[in-house]
Structure formats: structure tokens, C-alpha cells
Amino acid sequence: MRKYLLSLAAFACAIASHAAINAQHSFEEKLPSFLRVNGRGSIELSTEKYKDGNSSVKFSWNGPVQLMFTNSQDIEASMKVDGGGMILWIYNPSPISEPLLFRYHDWNGGVICQFNFNMDFTGWRTMWIKYEDMLTPDGRHVGEIPMAERKVTASRMTVTVPQSATQGTFYLDRLSFMQTRMQDQIVPDQQIPENNYM
């Protein structure tokens, strides 16, 4: 049994490593046009921190701000997959007491689903989360809704910084809106305690 668990752990690590290196958006050559800032902040390509490769996106702010991902085709294609979701690496230089709020919006500006990502750490952390583990505005898990009835027509994803964090910086690397089913062994952690609720 112990050998089996060790083999399973090694396999999961290999999958994670492969997914990180072969990310949909690696932020290596230029700042993607789908990344935008709404509010008092800025984004730039940076070689200061990176998970793989040589660069990442540096996001800094000094007031109320949202980071917007407007690559609707990638997001929508991912949301249409049963078991689809998102992978992203974040480097946090200084702990923040409240979480980042990730929201997926429809074309009318309404919220399709959302989740919190705790920022009470220093260094690199990754998020692996399926849409079915995210919450709808009325507090249900998306996974409680039959696949045929889920909202999947997304215009953007936004990341809202808590108001208590009046200024700061973090780095983003290896972003993927997965268009194949994500592994079922995703586990809750300190950053997303409600992950894999089923």
C-alpha cells in the first residue's frame, strides 16, 4: 500500500510539473493584451521572479484595483469542459491578511462563479481549481448544477485585491484555463480550503 501511495504521489507531481512547464500562458516573450488593470495599479513583464522560464507578470497597486483577464475564448472553452478549471502560480513577497477574490463574469457583467485565494504566505503557491468547486453568487457549488444548466458564456475573469491591502505587489506565472478534465486528486490547502468539496 505504501509503494502504491508513493507511486501515486510521484505521478501527481509529474503531472503538476508537466502542466506548469507547458502552461497555456507562460509570460515569457511579452505582456499579453488580454491582461488589463482597472484602478490604481500597473502590470509589466518582469525577470525578478518566475516559476519556470525567465519571466512572469508583475502586478503592483497603490489603491483600489482589479486585475482583469479578458481572454474570453480561452475561459469559455475551459468552462464548457466537464471537470475544466484553472491553474495559476502566484509569488507573494509579503503576506496579506485577506484573500484575493477571483470572479468569472458573463457578458452582462454578472458573476457566474467565484472563489477566494488566501494570500497569508510568502513565496510561490499554486492554485488548481475546477469550476465545479467554485461558488455561484447564491452560495452553491457549481458542481451542484447539472453540466447542461451551467452558465459558461464568460467575458472575463477578475482578481480583486482586498481593500485592506492599500498597496503591494505579486507575480503571476504559468496560467492555464484547462480545456481537458483536470485530475480528481486536487486537494484543499491553506490557500483554497474549500477546494474539491465533493
Side-chain angles (χ1 to χ4, degrees):
M1 180 67 170
R2 180 183 163 94
K3 256 186 185 179
Y4 172 76
L5 291 174
L6 289 173
S7 296
L8 186 61
F11 178 70
C13 287
I15 289 174
S17 175
H18 177 78
I21 292 168
N22 295 286
Q24 188 177 25
H25 302 288
S26 60
F27 310 125
E28 286 300 301
E29 297 177 11
K30 62 180 181 178
L31 196 63
S33 60
F34 64 75
L35 270 178
R36 299 179 188 165
V37 175
N38 179 21
R40 296 178 57 182
S42 63
I43 49 174
E44 62 181 305
L45 209 61
S46 171
T47 57
E48 295 170 12
K49 304 289 180 186
Y50 47 86
K51 182 61 188 167
D52 295 298
N54 298 299
S55 61
S56 65
V57 172
K58 181 179 182 180
F59 171 52
S60 301
W61 71 93
N62 62 355
V65 70
Q66 272 188 339
L67 182 60
M68 298 190 301
F69 297 73
T70 61
N71 49 331
S72 57
Q73 289 183 332
D74 290 342
I75 297 169
E76 189 171 319
S78 178
M79 294 188 88
K80 288 178 177 177
V81 173
D82 188 11
M86 185 186 70
I87 300 172
L88 176 66
W89 286 86
I90 293 184
Y91 183 92
N92 190 17
S94 302
I96 300 172
S97 60
E98 293 183 73
L100 300 176
L101 175 59
F102 284 74
R103 280 184 165 154
Y104 291 80
H105 301 264
D106 61 28
W107 287 96
N108 295 318
V111 176
I112 299 172
C113 56
Q114 64 188 39
F115 68 97
N116 288 329
F117 186 79
N118 290 326
M119 294 289 284
D120 53 349
F121 65 90
T122 301
W124 284 106
R125 296 290 187 278
T126 186
M127 65 180 72
W128 287 60
I129 184 167
K130 296 178 182 180
Y131 300 110
E132 63 193 39
D133 292 320
M134 299 181 194
L135 295 173
T136 63
D138 61 5
R140 292 183 299 161
H141 284 95
V142 172
E144 297 172 39
I145 304 168
M147 189 68 198
E149 297 174 20
R150 295 179 194 172
K151 293 182 179 179
V152 295
T153 308
S155 65
R156 67 192 182 280
M157 180 183 78
T158 59
V159 182
T160 304
V161 174
Q163 289 187 352
S164 60
T166 55
Q167 61 181 4
T169 295
F170 59 78
Y171 301 79
L172 308 171
D173 206 356
R174 300 305 182 191
L175 168 67
S176 293
F177 294 101
M178 299 298 291
Q179 296 178 25
T180 56
R181 182 176 182 83
M182 294 174 70
Q183 59 174 311
D184 294 325
Q185 287 78 27
I186 296 170
V187 295
D189 58 21
Q190 182 64 32
Q191 275 57 65
I192 314 176
E194 70 277 11
N195 207 355
N196 203 349
Y197 82 101
M198 296 178 73

